[in-house]
Amino acid sequence: MTTSPMFPGFDGLLMLSRRDGVDIRPTLLRVLTDLYVQTSTHSVEEERHFVELTSRLIDHVDDATRAVVRARLSIYPRTPAAIMSKLRLDASTTPPQAGSPAPPSPPATAAPATKPHTVATLSMAPGDAAEISEMFFGASSKDRALILHNLSTAPLRPSPHIHPSRALRAIEILHMAAFASDVDSFATELSATLMLPAAISEQVVKDAGGEPLVCAAKAIGIPSEIFQQILLFLDPAIGTSVTEVYRLSRLYDALSERSARIMLAAWRGATMTEARAKYRSTLYDDGRNRTRTAPAHGRHGAVQPGTAPAARGTGRNPIKG
């Protein structure tokens, strides 16, 4: 099946949702719904793809997630008829500006408040982490914000908290590096603090959108006013744009620390996948080469063909017999 440009990567993530250990179907359904209702009109292909993906997810999510999706789509004027039927929505309750259908909205905000914390204890497999990381880096700024928003209720285990003393030291160093526009030093300190490979840290710092930097700073716990100064001085492309600074500052204030630490866990897990792929085959080949190329020298003291055995001393004086 081809993937609609509006929903990139969802087919692959649906395959991940079938694996044991991590159920990301509730998160996928919320992201999918948020993306759909943000646009007032859709092509036939986009609507068809939305119906296919949503139909596969609705029956496999918890009641809280289903209530959120139902509430969102009940007030959306162009919800596909197939999905309305599946959610048991009456067409008369979904006019564009109706006043009476408003009651379904309150349960949408109240329902998921207690549910996620009872299931958010599942760690990500390296392959799952790599898929989430790739989806995030490949998404647009608007889609990244939605992904981060929905990670706050995802049943995924976040990375551990950074020790307060280490965080304070990192904040001071990162602040100074940003003030000096020293991108390399900033990336190096970020790598050490978040325990990320240098390549990932550099990708986070140099990302044109700025959302990965928001996640990294939130995971460390950088105060909002210091983060705004980092935005102003670290990257001229962002710092000279009032719109970008304001957008990323708002995202930083709205982003939960848990979402940032889940994304950090995904970055760490993705690097584990790369490391395994890199070193498994190398060690295997090296072991074979070492076995095959070992020199076939005789053992010390072994008798070689055609030579007489060396006489051993008995420890007695030969004159005395």
Side-chain angles (χ1 to χ4, degrees):
M1 174 179 20
T2 59
T3 302
S4 169
M6 187 177 185
F7 315 118
F10 272 89
D11 285 336
L13 289 173
L14 282 173
M15 295 182 64
L16 289 177
S17 67
R18 301 190 185 100
R19 298 180 182 176
D20 294 333
V22 177
D23 187 5
I24 60 175
R25 287 174 291 190
T27 302
L28 290 178
L29 183 58
R30 292 191 187 193
V31 173
L32 184 65
T33 303
D34 286 341
L35 289 174
Y36 193 78
V37 301
Q38 280 197 351
T39 306
S40 58
T41 59
H42 299 279
S43 65
V44 175
E45 178 65 19
E46 288 177 346
E47 180 175 328
R48 181 190 65 79
H49 204 68
F50 175 75
V51 171
E52 289 182 2
L53 294 174
T54 306
S55 298
R56 282 189 278 170
L57 292 170
I58 287 177
D59 294 333
H60 302 283
V61 298
D62 55 277
D63 293 339
T65 300
R66 195 177 297 109
V68 172
V69 172
R70 190 176 189 276
R72 294 296 302 273
L73 294 178
S74 67
I75 59 176
Y76 183 67
R78 292 177 177 81
T79 300
I83 300 302
M84 291 179 60
S85 175
K86 199 169 187 65
L87 292 173
R88 296 175 183 171
L89 291 172
D90 187 355
S92 62
T93 64
T94 57
Q97 299 294 332
S100 55
S105 296
T109 57
T114 57
K115 185 70 175 179
H117 298 287
T118 62
V119 295
T121 58
L122 302 174
S123 58
M124 285 180 280
D128 300 339
E131 290 285 349
I132 293 174
S133 178
E134 290 176 7
M135 180 180 70
F136 178 73
F137 277 112
S140 65
S141 294
K142 182 176 69 174
D143 294 346
R144 286 177 174 182
L146 285 173
I147 292 171
L148 293 174
H149 172 73
N150 284 281
L151 281 180
S152 62
T153 57
L156 302 172
R157 181 176 299 165
S159 63
H161 286 280
I162 297 174
H163 194 277
S165 60
R166 182 67 182 92
L168 287 175
R169 178 177 177 273
I171 291 171
E172 181 180 358
I173 296 175
L174 293 172
H175 193 192
M176 294 175 60
F179 189 77
S181 298
D182 190 346
V183 176
D184 293 336
S185 296
F186 190 97
T188 299
E189 179 61 26
L190 201 68
S191 174
T193 304
L194 299 180
M195 293 183 290
L196 290 173
I200 296 294
S201 178
E202 184 176 353
Q203 184 180 9
V204 169
V205 174
K206 296 183 178 180
D207 184 88
E211 292 83 8
L213 182 60
V214 171
C215 291
K218 199 73 173 188
I220 296 173
I222 298 178
S224 180
E225 60 275 11
I226 294 181
F227 179 69
Q228 291 178 13
Q229 296 175 19
I230 290 175
L231 289 177
L232 289 171
F233 294 106
L234 181 63
D235 185 356
I238 295 177
T240 55
S241 173
V242 177
T243 303
E244 285 299 289
V245 172
Y246 181 70
R247 178 182 68 84
L248 293 174
S249 297
R250 287 188 61 187
L251 176 61
Y252 188 82
D253 293 337
L255 180 64
S256 68
E257 181 187 342
R258 185 174 185 278
S259 297
R261 291 193 293 118
I262 289 178
M263 185 57 67
L264 175 58
W267 292 339
R268 290 175 178 175
T271 60
M272 291 176 59
T273 303
E274 296 175 2
R276 289 180 180 180
K278 177 180 179 181
Y279 290 110
R280 274 181 180 172
S281 59
T282 302
L283 292 174
Y284 176 72
D285 291 338
D286 285 351
R288 292 178 60 188
N289 291 335
R290 282 196 298 268
T291 302
R292 291 178 177 179
T293 58
H297 295 303
R299 291 177 299 171
H300 180 68
V303 178
Q304 300 297 324
T307 61
R312 293 185 178 180
T314 62
R316 294 179 297 173
N317 192 326
I319 300 178
K320 295 182 178 181

